[in-house]
Amino acid sequence: MAIAFKSQIPTFFQLKKNTEAHSFLRFPSQRLAVPVGRRFTPMAALSTAPTVGLSETFKRLKNQGKVALIPYITAGDPDLSTTAEALKVLDSCGSDIIELGVPYSDPLADGPVIQAAATRSLARGTNFNAIISMLKEVVPQLSSPIALFSYYNPILKRGVEKFMFTIKDVGVQGLVVPDVPLEETEILRKEATKNGIELVLLTTPTTPIDRMKAIVEAAEGFVYLVSSVGVTGARASVSDRVQTLLQEIKEATTKPVAVGFGISNPEHVKQVAGWGADGVIVGSAMVKVLAEAKSPEEGLKELETFTKSLKAALD
Amino acid sequence: MACNMRTDLLAGHLIGKRRTGDASVVRAVLVDRKTIVKNILGSSNLIIRTLTKPQVETVERDVSKGRFGRFGGKYVPESLMTCLGELEAEFNSALRDTEFQAELATALRDYVGRETPLYFAQRLTNYYKNSKGEGPDIYLKREDLSHGGAHKINNAIAQAMIAKRMGRKSVVAATGAGQHGVATAAACAKLALECTVFMGTKDMEKQSSNLRLMKLLGAQVKSVGGNFKDATSEALRDWMGNLESSYFLTGTVVGPHPLPSMVREFQSVIGKETRRQAMERWGHKPDVLLACVGSGSNALGLFHEFVKDKDVRLIGVEGAGFGLESGGHSATLARGDVGVYHGAMSYLLQDEEGQIVRPHSIGVGLEYPGVSPELSFLKDTGRAEFYTATDEEALDAFQLLCRLEGIIPALEASHALAFLNKLCPTLPGGTKVVVNCSGRGDKDVETLFNHKFHSM
């Protein structure tokens, strides 16, 4: 099993961010036996990635009175090496958690922007093994934990157990599977727990309160509140139902709640944070920046600017 | 009537498959009088199946949860869950509502044109007689005579009535060959509902006459790059964005529960009529039921009534396209493996990554990478048998029926007819075979004349 060493001295920026939880960063070149704050797995998934899990990240941010910025990008669009660079850019520009989408041929929950990204990525030949190889290299260089976003069939095809083990092995911390409702999550949760992966669950404006309570009870990492009924994609404004929904969820659980779908600019981010969200997820808008750029390099530059503007809205 | 065993077909070795994971599915490799032996595929492998009682009971018990063994279920984004629950409640209430049932019966009689005839195909029967003048009696269940030209209307009218009952103003649907689109557009016109149909660009080219019919009937047709599977995904996304006002009118027995059960329920009128007609005509049940399988709506419509009648053989025929080894086919049950697609667990045509494969068949209505979870279950339990027919074989069967009976079948149904070539020599004289002629082939005339293999 490959063990990744952190090959470079963490930047001052990263050190500054990770003061409390990451005391081990004082000795960056040492091999870590039991990463602080992570569940120990008997599989001995050793990773020197100096990141903690999703829940821990939220805990730290809460202590600092901060709201998490959670960008989403699709792996392999425009290509995997750009994705690798994009992850680093997002990480260094203020992201607290990064969602990485595994491209799928029939993404039911996604709108045209992310659909197109998946199609382009698959046309380039992006596959799961290539994404894993990329992550193996990149994750040790990141300080934000990675949550994978994948539809169910590719997970089933690979085998739930094998899938969880593989992603944990490269340092992925969390997983979101949008087309599995609570009733069918049992096997996912079992294997996720075994491998120390936090399985995030989604609740929506159409979810009745009792069902929402069951969902938040079972969710790990954070609760993903879908802001509007429908697929992913930027919308003109965020529905103010979100405010009520956030209140209802917070009455039912102390777990962190992140809001996603439709959030696309600093105003939205500020608004949602003001309503009490613990985290804000920005997906299609990010993917669009990379997709519409004239070149990958320009895309990365624009991604940097965009991410910083979103972060500024949270300060 | 029990089918005799053809000892000359016993060759090679026996293969008994046992699937683990679900206690309800056990296949015993036993041979008794009720067992059917087949060596249709021409290989030296023999598959012997028999059904034991418990499996049928399991089906009944779990159907209310949308599970057929391990197949079925609801694998959809959370946004859809409540809506599906409402739909199920409404469906169950409609089934018990005598007024709704009466209204539906009237619509099926006066609007759809039921009951459809059970037609004795004399010349086709003679064609398949052997040198001794013996062979099965071939009957066609004439779903091609229904309004719209296919069996799709049975379900479309019933569901449009449910949409109206739920107070929905608009209906969204996806169509492959266009028959479901036409049926839905017609039903919506009759019931004053707005209608939006999603259709794949590739399908629009191949079935352009249906495209025009839909527009004539007042539907808004939206094109989606690709074919039926892409149109379905887009229709589902559209529905997710309009859950309060819109009704997703599914055309076939796939999707999250309760969709497959609803469609099967409304299509089962085909089998119910067939039972009655068979009893009148020859005094007992049919011996063999034969239907083409795309996603499974017409097959289940015919089969469902007879699932518990173990002496009735159920045979489904999928599209082998350019051939099963070519990679260009739609034979999900023959070549797929189990996965989750469009909300249900079933057999699925997918690659090693779990990405969904775009299938091919000359019968556009057969081109779907998934298949009914209920048919997947019937396959696993051995209750139903599934074979395939290539594009060429379907084209030949199409032309044969035209010339022998003066009936133009849809290319989809032609796949079922094509299988008669292999089936008839194995059946004793007088066996009653009912083929579901699920649609008429006017829409396919262009395809036939353009195809290099036609003999016109």
Side-chain angles (χ1 to χ4, degrees):
Chain A
M1 184 182 308
I3 296 164
F5 285 85
K6 187 144 169 62
S7 56
Q8 66 220 38
I9 296 166
T11 63
F12 176 65
F13 194 87
Q14 286 173 314
L15 272 175
K16 205 168 104 166
K17 235 175 32 143
N18 303 326
T19 31
E20 294 127 271
H22 306 269
S23 51
F24 54 82
L25 272 177
R26 279 180 278 137
F27 308 101
S29 55
Q30 261 185 8
R31 207 169 82 193
L32 293 170
V34 181
V36 171
R38 290 242 299 267
R39 286 179 240 195
F40 178 68
T41 66
M43 302 279 191
L46 293 173
S47 167
T48 55
T51 55
V52 289
L54 309 180
S55 338
E56 290 302 315
T57 304
F58 275 105
K59 238 183 247 166
R60 169 174 59 78
L61 288 169
K62 192 162 180 166
N63 289 341
Q64 296 167 353
K66 288 199 171 142
V67 173
L69 176 63
I70 308 174
Y72 162 100
I73 54 171
T74 301
D77 181 51
D79 53 59
L80 275 176
S81 54
T82 308
T83 303
E85 290 310 309
L87 289 173
K88 292 181 209 166
V89 165
L90 291 169
D91 188 46
S92 62
C93 289
S95 308
D96 299 294
I97 294 171
I98 303 172
E99 257 189 61
L100 184 65
V102 179
Y104 179 53
S105 55
D106 291 61
L108 267 191
D110 286 312
V113 171
I114 298 182
Q115 271 179 60
T119 307
R120 285 189 298 264
S121 176
L122 287 171
R124 277 200 81 95
T126 306
N127 62 31
F128 185 68
N129 289 337
I131 297 173
I132 290 296
S133 305
M134 182 272 289
L135 285 174
K136 212 178 186 95
E137 268 192 52
V138 174
V139 169
Q141 301 171 50
L142 304 173
S143 57
S144 311
I146 300 279
L148 276 188
F149 188 101
S150 171
Y151 285 83
Y152 196 34
N153 197 54
I155 300 176
L156 262 186
K157 179 74 181 175
R158 193 156 249 101
V160 181
E161 210 182 317
K162 190 157 177 233
F163 181 86
M164 294 294 181
F165 175 76
T166 307
I167 65 174
K168 188 60 179 184
D169 193 45
V170 295
V172 169
Q173 305 279 8
L175 180 65
V176 185
V177 186
D179 57 349
V180 178
L182 182 65
E183 294 80 347
E184 307 292 350
T185 54
E186 208 184 305
I187 182 169
L188 277 175
R189 273 185 281 150
K190 186 166 144 242
E191 294 301 328
T193 310
K194 230 165 75 181
N195 288 279
I197 297 280
E198 291 168 283
L199 185 67
V200 174
L201 295 182
L202 299 94
T203 180
T204 73
T206 58
T207 310
I209 292 198
D210 286 338
R211 191 180 164 82
M212 177 273 282
K213 287 185 178 156
I215 292 172
V216 302
E217 172 71 39
E220 296 164 1
F222 63 90
V223 174
Y224 193 134
L225 172 59
V226 174
S227 70
S228 50
V229 187
V231 298
T232 62
R235 288 152 170 91
S237 60
V238 186
S239 157
D240 35 344
R241 262 215 78 193
V242 173
Q243 188 173 20
T244 328
L245 289 165
L246 273 169
Q247 281 164 7
E248 282 171 5
I249 297 173
K250 286 189 168 288
E251 273 165 30
T253 185
T254 51
K255 290 180 190 167
V257 186
V259 182
F261 280 47
I263 299 170
S264 51
N265 60 39
E267 288 73 43
H268 293 162
V269 167
K270 201 175 186 124
Q271 188 176 38
V272 171
W275 285 335
D278 302 296
V280 185
I281 302 163
V282 181
S284 298
M286 291 277 171
V287 173
K288 211 165 174 204
V289 164
L290 283 173
E292 289 181 350
K294 296 189 191 70
S295 71
E297 295 75 35
E298 245 202 66
L300 290 169
K301 273 202 210 89
E302 288 175 20
L303 195 71
E304 191 179 332
T305 318
F306 185 55
T307 313
K308 285 182 174 161
S309 73
L310 295 174
K311 187 67 176 178
L314 287 174
D315 285 335
Chain B
M1 188 184 104
C3 291
N4 299 322
M5 242 170 27
R6 286 278 300 255
T7 49
D8 53 316
L9 291 178
L10 282 169
H13 50 280
L14 295 172
I15 296 177
K17 282 193 226 164
R18 200 166 69 85
R19 294 201 189 251
T20 54
D22 220 69
S24 62
V25 181
V26 169
R27 185 175 301 146
V29 186
L30 283 176
V31 174
D32 65 12
R33 250 186 296 128
K34 300 247 166 72
T35 305
I36 293 105
V37 173
K38 275 291 125 210
N39 190 17
I40 291 302
L41 299 176
S43 68
S44 59
N45 297 332
L46 237 178
I47 299 166
I48 295 181
R49 297 186 180 94
T50 185
L51 178 70
T52 58
K53 244 192 165 170
Q55 281 138 14
V56 177
E57 284 160 23
T58 310
V59 176
E60 283 175 40
R61 261 205 310 276
D62 292 335
V63 156
S64 58
K65 285 191 246 137
R67 281 279 172 191
F68 307 93
R70 59 183 164 146
F71 303 108
K74 288 180 194 178
Y75 293 88
V76 290
E78 175 60 31
S79 313
L80 276 179
M81 292 301 287
T82 309
C83 199
L84 289 174
E86 282 168 9
L87 191 55
E88 191 177 346
E90 198 62 52
F91 169 56
N92 287 324
S93 131
L95 285 184
R96 288 190 299 266
D97 182 351
T98 44
E99 227 180 273
F100 178 89
Q101 292 302 326
E103 223 182 289
L104 180 59
T106 307
L108 287 174
R109 189 192 63 218
D110 297 342
Y111 189 67
V112 174
R114 303 207 72 88
E115 22 176 82
T116 55
L118 186 64
Y119 170 75
F120 177 52
Q122 176 75 75
R123 288 194 70 198
L124 197 63
T125 298
N126 292 344
Y127 177 84
Y128 285 115
K129 284 192 172 24
N130 62 17
S131 49
K132 285 188 258 162
E134 291 168 352
D137 295 331
I138 302 170
Y139 289 80
L140 301 179
K141 183 63 175 144
R142 302 293 306 278
E143 293 300 300
D144 59 302
L145 291 175
S146 290
H147 175 46
H151 69 294
K152 297 291 187 186
I153 188 79
N154 302 331
N155 164 64
I157 188 71
Q159 284 209 51
M161 283 170 61
I162 291 193
K164 196 103 188 160
R165 196 182 153 88
M166 288 172 87
R168 299 292 156 88
K169 298 278 178 288
S170 64
V171 163
V172 63
T175 192
Q179 292 299 142
H180 176 61
V182 169
T184 305
C188 286
K190 174 171 163 39
L191 294 172
L193 292 163
E194 278 168 37
C195 182
T196 305
V197 180
F198 288 88
M199 193 172 186
T201 43
K202 293 193 167 68
D203 294 342
M204 280 173 153
E205 285 162 24
K206 291 186 232 169
Q207 313 271 236
S208 55
S209 57
N210 275 341
L211 172 58
R212 277 184 231 126
L213 291 179
M214 279 185 259
K215 288 184 180 167
L216 264 177
L217 291 165
Q220 195 195 22
V221 183
K222 291 191 174 164
S223 66
V224 180
N227 68 9
F228 177 54
K229 76 167 186 75
D230 309 288
T232 303
S233 296
E234 198 54 39
L236 282 168
R237 288 185 197 110
D238 189 274
W239 181 37
M240 274 200 278
N242 294 298
L243 288 176
E244 301 290 307
S245 54
S246 159
Y247 181 93
F248 177 71
L249 212 160
T250 181
T252 187
V253 284
V254 296
H257 181 65
L259 272 41
S261 299
M262 288 176 76
V263 178
R264 182 253 287 143
E265 177 61 35
F266 295 130
Q267 291 294 358
S268 64
V269 61
I270 303 174
K272 290 187 182 115
E273 277 176 15
T274 304
R275 185 191 282 282
R276 210 170 45 242
Q277 289 165 322
M279 195 52 84
E280 282 167 15
R281 300 289 282 275
W282 60 76
H284 59 82
K285 293 172 279 198
D287 300 306
V288 183
L289 297 177
L290 187 55
C292 65
V293 175
S295 313
S297 63
N298 91 84
L300 270 178
L302 182 62
F303 293 172
H304 184 71
E305 174 67 17
F306 298 96
V307 167
K308 292 189 204 144
D309 295 281
K310 283 179 279 170
D311 49 349
V312 178
R313 219 169 130 190
L314 310 175
I315 301 179
V317 185
E318 295 182 295
F322 301 129
L324 288 179
E325 308 309 324
S326 70
H329 64 80
S330 303
T332 312
L333 290 166
R335 281 284 190 269
D337 52 324
V338 182
V340 163
Y341 188 54
H342 284 157
M345 182 167 287
S346 69
Y347 279 96
L348 183 53
L349 287 174
Q350 53 184 309
D351 66 14
E352 333 70 52
E353 291 277 308
Q355 306 290 353
I356 310 302
V357 164
R358 192 168 276 151
H360 162 78
S361 169
I362 199 167
V364 174
L366 301 184
E367 284 181 320
Y368 184 65
V371 77
S372 157
E374 200 170 344
L375 283 182
S376 300
F377 181 68
L378 292 179
K379 172 190 153 90
D380 265 14
T381 52
R383 177 63 189 97
E385 307 155 57
F386 296 94
Y387 305 101
T388 62
T390 61
D391 286 353
E392 248 189 273
E393 289 169 333
L395 280 167
D396 286 343
F398 182 105
Q399 292 168 90
L400 191 70
L401 195 70
C402 288
R403 287 296 164 85
L404 289 183
E405 295 289 347
I407 296 174
I408 306 173
L411 277 171
E412 293 83 2
S414 303
H415 285 73
L417 291 162
F419 191 67
L420 287 169
N421 289 345
K422 297 190 176 117
L423 179 66
C424 292
T426 70
L427 297 176
T431 309
K432 303 288 187 223
V433 177
V434 174
V435 183
N436 205 6
C437 190
S438 51
R440 64 170 191 252
D442 301 51
K443 65 185 177 66
D444 297 316
V445 168
E446 191 88 15
T447 305
L448 181 87
F449 278 93
N450 289 338
H451 202 277
K452 55 185 159 110
F453 288 124
H454 76 83
S455 60
M456 302 286 169

